[in-house]
Amino acid sequence: MSLKVYHNIVLVCIPFFISVAVKDHNLWSHVTTRVITATDHQMALTPRSLKASNNTAQIQSTLMKDHQQNKPITTLKRLKDADGMSVGQNKTAPNGNVIVTSEKNKLANRPFIYQSFELNGGLGNHMFMYASLIGIAKNNNMLPKIRSDSLINRAFNIPPYIVDRTVRLKNPRGKRERFGGGVYDDQMFELTDKSKNTSLGGFLQSWKYFHNVAEEIKSHFHFRSQFLKPAVEFISAAMKTVYSVPPTAVTTIGVHVRRGDATWPEKLQLGYTAADDAYFNKTMNSFRKKYEKVIFIVCSDGLDWCRKAFKSSTDVVYSENHTMEVDLAILSHCDHVIMSTGSFSWWAGFLTKGEVTYYKNWPKEKTWLSKSTSHYDYFYPDWSPV
């Protein structure tokens, strides 16, 4: 083949290859620099059946309905993002973090803040740890993470982007409260170095750690159906046993009575106290005067004690043979709450939408627990001490 023919072939091919290269470059630039729009975010949270319809009005209507019903994002179906990964699946970032979905996501470059729930405790303790995690993460622009096998994830519909089967942080920094579990530590809320992966420690039992995300926390603590359904059914049945009037005419008061370990000598020595019958009867009588038809639903680890304390009351119903998750769902879905002592009671009060009273003689003065607790930091400001 002559040199002239080679020359002509080159002249024809070069523009073609340049065109392909430019198109490839533009396509790659579009993928790597694309800004996630509000529509993208909305579509990512939309059930697949609505996505297929491509009906924006229908999508907005459905999302608004869910929002009005206070449904958390996690009640929607798990979706697939553009790269085919399910929301919540692991993926490794260049910095070594294990992240969910893809780095097209706005969360991609945030450092992680992790709650391992390393300290022992029940559901109420873990709820404080989780809520504080979310509040601190929000304040420091970090990505909160918990393990999927945590007590919190078993009880509630936690948003998938927070939950991971195995959380692996590269060179995490440990951060623990400086004071007692019931005292607010501002250095925990405002981290000095927000660029490092962080593992939170401590009980973190102060509403101040999550005051900035209070409503978001309530949506996260949406009980799973296996706990919510029996709770709602129990409340409905309880109202019918006391009054033969429409449920809307009855005011429900959730009463949590903690006995058990709160009465153990070793706990009493540390400063723990158990609310007495005088506190409960005084508070219950106050609600009787305020509302015409009331029913008190008692959840307790000491039902024998409760039956003796409230034996003359005909408007009291007892929750029996329920799990702690169902009991908490019952209390939080009552119109108002009478607290006992401890974190379980605290969260029953926080999740209800009505009035909340707490036992003011906790903890006992001049004890280890009183030095580790500040009423101002621990109890919510609009609750009533009795």
Side-chain angles (χ1 to χ4, degrees):
M1 188 178 292
S2 68
L3 182 61
K4 183 176 182 180
V5 172
Y6 277 115
H7 179 265
N8 290 337
I9 291 175
V10 170
L11 290 178
V12 171
C13 292
I14 285 177
F16 171 76
F17 287 122
I18 291 175
S19 174
V20 170
V22 169
K23 287 180 181 179
D24 286 344
H25 173 75
N26 290 339
L27 177 61
W28 178 248
S29 299
H30 174 71
V31 171
T32 55
T33 62
R34 182 168 176 264
V35 176
I36 304 299
T37 65
T39 302
D40 295 328
H41 179 67
Q42 182 187 63
M43 290 297 290
L45 302 180
T46 304
R48 191 176 288 107
S49 59
L50 289 183
K51 283 186 176 181
S53 71
N54 198 27
N55 187 328
T56 303
Q58 185 183 2
I59 291 171
Q60 291 175 341
S61 174
T62 301
L63 293 177
M64 181 58 69
K65 182 178 179 181
D66 288 342
H67 174 72
Q68 291 170 347
Q69 293 176 354
N70 198 29
K71 288 184 179 180
I73 291 172
T74 50
T75 58
L76 302 178
K77 294 179 181 178
R78 291 167 67 85
L79 307 173
K80 299 248 182 181
D81 73 353
D83 63 4
M85 289 192 67
S86 175
V87 174
Q89 275 187 299
N90 294 341
K91 201 171 186 181
T92 304
N95 62 5
N97 281 347
V98 177
I99 63 173
V100 295
T101 29
S102 64
E103 292 211 355
K104 296 191 289 281
N105 194 303
K106 284 185 177 182
L107 303 175
N109 295 319
R110 294 186 192 177
F112 286 173
I113 185 165
Y114 171 58
Q115 177 57 265
S116 64
F117 305 105
E118 61 179 340
L119 298 174
N120 292 328
L123 181 59
N125 287 329
H126 284 211
M127 291 172 74
F128 264 117
M129 295 175 195
Y130 176 84
S132 296
L133 168 73
I134 302 304
I136 294 170
K138 180 79 169 182
N139 189 59
N140 294 277
N141 195 31
M142 302 174 80
L143 179 61
K145 300 295 290 184
I146 65 171
R147 285 174 57 94
S148 59
D149 60 356
S150 64
L151 184 61
I152 288 293
N153 192 48
R154 293 199 300 268
F156 305 105
N157 287 305
I158 300 301
Y161 76 89
I162 296 174
V163 180
D164 209 327
R165 186 171 299 173
T166 56
V167 180
R168 298 188 300 275
L169 302 183
K170 184 177 181 181
N171 301 321
R173 166 192 55 177
K175 188 68 177 175
R176 182 180 291 274
E177 57 200 7
R178 294 174 296 167
F179 316 117
V183 179
Y184 174 71
D185 183 352
D186 59 350
Q187 289 188 16
M188 291 291 291
F189 188 69
E190 187 68 43
L191 300 178
T192 53
D193 188 347
K194 305 177 184 183
S195 64
K196 293 182 178 179
N197 294 328
T198 302
S199 179
L200 286 185
F203 285 104
L204 303 170
Q205 296 192 1
S206 172
W207 58 271
K208 293 181 180 180
Y209 289 121
F210 48 89
H211 69 89
N212 55 329
V213 290
E215 293 306 311
E216 183 179 343
I217 293 300
K218 290 179 180 179
S219 72
H220 286 201
F221 289 154
H222 188 278
F223 289 90
R224 293 190 180 275
S225 59
Q226 64 264 38
F227 307 123
L228 181 59
K229 187 173 183 289
V232 172
E233 290 175 349
F234 178 80
I235 294 173
S236 178
M239 287 190 287
K240 293 176 183 178
T241 63
V242 178
Y243 299 104
S244 23
V245 295
T248 53
V250 180
T251 300
T252 55
I253 316 294
V255 183
H256 179 241
V257 182
R258 181 183 179 182
R259 301 296 296 172
D261 65 333
T263 64
W264 295 351
E266 56 268 33
K267 285 290 189 77
L268 295 175
Q269 189 174 8
L270 291 173
Y272 288 86
T273 60
D276 54 23
D277 55 352
Y279 159 76
F280 287 110
N281 284 310
K282 179 181 179 179
T283 310
M284 291 164 76
N285 285 333
S286 176
F287 278 109
R288 289 184 182 109
K289 293 177 181 178
K290 189 175 295 187
Y291 302 102
E292 183 179 357
K293 290 182 174 61
V294 297
I295 178 173
F296 298 94
I297 301 178
V298 177
C299 299
S300 175
D301 59 354
L303 287 178
D304 289 341
W305 183 93
C306 295
R307 288 191 174 92
K308 292 177 181 178
F310 312 135
K311 62 182 179 181
S312 61
S313 301
T314 58
D315 51 5
V316 175
V317 177
Y318 302 95
S319 168
E320 300 184 73
N321 303 318
H322 287 139
T323 65
M324 61 181 176
E325 294 91 350
V326 173
D327 270 350
L328 185 57
I330 289 172
L331 293 168
S332 64
H333 281 78
C334 288
D335 296 317
H336 311 286
V337 166
I338 298 175
M339 290 172 51
S340 180
T341 62
S343 56
F344 190 90
S345 260
W346 197 100
W347 283 102
F350 182 83
L351 294 178
T352 191
K353 296 180 180 179
E355 302 172 48
V356 179
T357 62
Y358 65 87
Y359 184 58
K360 67 179 181 181
N361 295 325
W362 176 93
K364 185 179 179 180
E365 294 183 357
K366 298 180 180 180
T367 60
W368 168 83
L369 188 58
S370 68
K371 296 175 182 178
S372 304
T373 306
S374 163
H375 273 211
Y376 181 70
D377 293 342
Y378 181 77
F379 291 110
Y380 222 64
D382 55 354
W383 293 350
S384 302
V386 176

